[in-house]
Structures are given as C-alpha cells and as structure tokens.
Amino acid sequence: MGDENDIKRIPLRAGVQQELEQLFDEQEQAFLGGRDEEIPFDGDWKPDGNELLVIEDADLAAPFGQTLVDGPAAYQQLDVTNYADAGIKGIFTRSEVLDGRLLLQRFQTSQYLQKSGLTLVFSNNQFGKLSENGFALDARLAAVIEGNHFKFLSFRNLRTILTIQHHFEQATETEIAEFRDHASFHVENAALFDAAMDERSRKLICGISRAGILNDHDAQSIQTKAGSVGLQIDMQDGRLVLPGEKRRLKTILSFLEESVYKGVFSDETFQTNSKRPVQ
C-alpha cells in the first residue's frame, strides 16, 4: 500500500505465498499471544503485557475491508522499479486463522533492497550483487484490523502507516502558552519549560485543560491535594512552581492530569500506566 487510500497488489512467484502465510501466521500468534484485554486508546502510555490498544475508525478501515470483498486481482500491481514513487508505508494480508481479520506490518525505507549501489546476496557459498529491486518484510506486526477496529501496541508505529493523529489529543501552542501563563503558576525557567513540551507533556496539558482543573481548584488546594499523595509542589508568591527539570515537571503535570496516586500499603507515590477507572 502507498497512502491509506492507495492499495496495491504484491505479485508472488509460485511457492512464496505459502512461506509468506507461514511468516504472517507466526507474527499473528506473537502479536496476539497472551493479550486478552482490549483497551480503547485514549493517548495514555504503552499497554501492559496482556493488553491491546484499540481505535475504532470506520472510514479508515473501509479500504482495508473492501480488499476482502474484491480480492487481490482487483488491485494494480506494485511497481518498485522506481523507489521514489513507490511510497510504501505498510504491507498487509488476510489472516489464515480468522475470516475478516487483516494483518498489518509497518514498512520503512530501510527495508528497500536496491540493485543500484552495492547490495550483496549470498548464493552458492559466495556473495554476489543484487540483480533486481526488492524489499524485506518486517519482523513483527504493527496492527491487526478486524471490522472497523485497529488493534495495536504502539501508536507511534501505527501513525507512520496511517493518518490517525486525530485520535490523539494534544495541546496546541496557544493552549500551552495559556497554561504556562495561568495565574496559578510560577514558571521557574521558561526556556526549559518550552523545551520539555514533547508529545507526552502536550497530551497531559490537553487533559488538564479539558478537565478544567485550574478553573475548579486554586493553587493552595492543589498543593494540599498533591501533599496528600506524597508529592511536594513548591509555592512562590501564592503560585505553584513549575520546575525547569523535565522529569519533575512531568510528574507535576501527571498529578494535575490525575495520573499520580499513593500506594495504599507501601505509602509510595506512583504514576499510573493508565487512567482507566476501577470497574
């Protein structure tokens, strides 16, 4: 496949199809093995060992599902004679285990094998030069597609294949500036604060803003609540200090986003891997 609406067929020589099916079967087992809980993706951290993240997106899934109806012959053949135009982002095939399931691999430009330059192949106990263009398959799946559901482990990997950024909310530059300049805060070092605004920090600030935490709680009450879970937040001139140290800043942002808690038995302060409520 090229972009998400441009699906191409990969023609295979006799005998290769069976080996390809076996490879994907093994990767499917490795991907799904022991993962018995599906978690709707909300932008939080990586899943636990028994969990899969899930995005539901009917529009995104439609072209994939249509391939099960059309069959491979309905699609144009992939041409890799010109790598600059191939634009491959991912490779997928149907599951041999479950009807309607599709198995999706990530594709990176490093997987291209080009006859130009010097790519060596081993044959008859010697290395020779690659005579035709080709590509290598990845060692693992990036996602499993079932109906309108994309099941995955890494949002970062999946978004290199598909346009799914709208499923991950993060603060805009304007929202970050409004947060930084809020009357509740004293920013210790503005330059370090701005440098700390990676994807995770932006997501946390987005969550804090959407929940209206700073509108509903003043600086003093926030400091008191932080102390109740073992987190010390300094005050200066009646405002909460946002430190320049990145790790410390993220801990405070995580607390404000309600992703910090105190262990009932250990009395230790922890950051959560997921903010799902207890059922």
Side-chain angles (χ1 to χ4, degrees), residues 31 41-47 53 55 89 104-108 138 140-143 151-165 167-168 170 197-203 246 250:
F31 184 83
F41 176 74
D42 63 0
D44 275 326
W45 294 353
K46 64 181 181 180
L53 300 174
I55 283 175
K89 295 180 181 178
L104 176 63
Q105 283 188 356
R106 178 187 182 190
F107 189 92
Q108 303 178 79
D138 202 355
R140 61 189 61 82
L141 298 183
K151 304 178 182 182
F152 61 99
L153 298 175
S154 169
F155 182 83
R156 187 182 301 273
N157 283 344
L158 190 59
R159 74 177 184 181
T160 64
I161 308 171
L162 304 169
T163 304
I164 53 174
Q165 282 80 349
H167 289 281
F168 182 93
Q170 54 181 314
M197 290 300 103
D198 56 15
E199 190 174 81
R200 175 65 180 163
S201 295
R202 289 172 177 269
K203 192 271 176 185
K246 186 174 182 179
K250 281 193 176 183

Side-chain angles (χ1 to χ4, degrees), residues 187-208:
V187 177
E188 192 173 61
N189 186 308
L192 291 178
F193 178 92
D194 291 341
M197 290 300 103
D198 56 15
E199 190 174 81
R200 175 65 180 163
S201 295
R202 289 172 177 269
K203 192 271 176 185
L204 290 170
I205 289 176
C206 180
I208 297 164

Side-chain angles (χ1 to χ4, degrees), residues 8 22 42 90 123 134 212:
K8 298 293 179 65
Q22 182 178 350
D42 63 0
S123 178

Side-chain angles (χ1 to χ4, degrees), residues 85-256:
D85 295 333
I88 305 173
K89 295 180 181 178
I91 296 173
F92 72 96
T93 188
R94 64 182 178 85
S95 168
E96 299 296 319
V97 176
L98 182 66
D99 286 342
R101 176 187 288 165
L102 294 168
L103 311 175
L104 176 63
Q105 283 188 356
R106 178 187 182 190
F107 189 92
Q108 303 178 79
T109 55
S110 60
Q111 292 171 237
Y112 285 130
L113 304 176
Q114 303 185 56
K115 63 180 180 180
S116 61
L118 189 61
T119 300
L120 300 179
V121 291
F122 190 69
S123 178
N124 296 326
N125 211 34
Q126 290 181 316
F127 283 98
K129 182 180 177 180
L130 183 71
S131 60
E132 299 293 341
N133 287 340
F135 56 83
L137 295 175
D138 202 355
R140 61 189 61 82
L141 298 183
V144 163
I145 307 169
E146 294 179 11
N148 296 332
H149 295 86
F150 293 79
K151 304 178 182 182
F152 61 99
L153 298 175
S154 169
F155 182 83
R156 187 182 301 273
N157 283 344
L158 190 59
R159 74 177 184 181
T160 64
I161 308 171
L162 304 169
T163 304
I164 53 174
Q165 282 80 349
H166 55 287
H167 289 281
F168 182 93
E169 287 191 290
Q170 54 181 314
T172 64
E173 294 299 330
T174 299
E175 289 174 322
I176 289 173
E178 290 175 351
F179 181 87
R180 182 190 59 219
D181 297 337
H182 195 279
S184 297
F185 296 133
H186 168 78
V187 177
E188 192 173 61
N189 186 308
L192 291 178
F193 178 92
D194 291 341
M197 290 300 103
D198 56 15
E199 190 174 81
R200 175 65 180 163
S201 295
R202 289 172 177 269
K203 192 271 176 185
L204 290 170
I205 289 176
C206 180
I208 297 164
S209 299
R210 299 289 190 273
I213 300 298
L214 301 180
N215 295 328
D216 297 337
H217 305 276
D218 61 27
Q220 185 60 61
S221 68
I222 289 173
Q223 186 191 46
T224 301
K225 291 178 185 297
S228 71
V229 296
L231 176 63
Q232 175 65 40
I233 303 181
D234 295 332
M235 297 274 281
Q236 181 169 321
D237 299 327
R239 295 185 292 169
L240 300 163
V241 175
L242 294 181
E245 200 274 312
K246 186 174 182 179
R247 184 184 295 271
R248 176 72 177 166
L249 174 61
K250 281 193 176 183
T251 298
I252 293 175
L253 294 178
S254 294
F255 163 74
L256 291 170

Side-chain angles (χ1 to χ4, degrees), residues 225-232 248 251-252 254-255 259-264 266-272:
K225 291 178 185 297
S228 71
V229 296
L231 176 63
Q232 175 65 40
R248 176 72 177 166
T251 298
I252 293 175
S254 294
F255 163 74
S259 295
V260 170
Y261 70 99
K262 191 171 187 177
V264 176
S266 66
D267 215 34
E268 292 283 338
T269 302
F270 302 99
Q271 287 182 241
T272 66

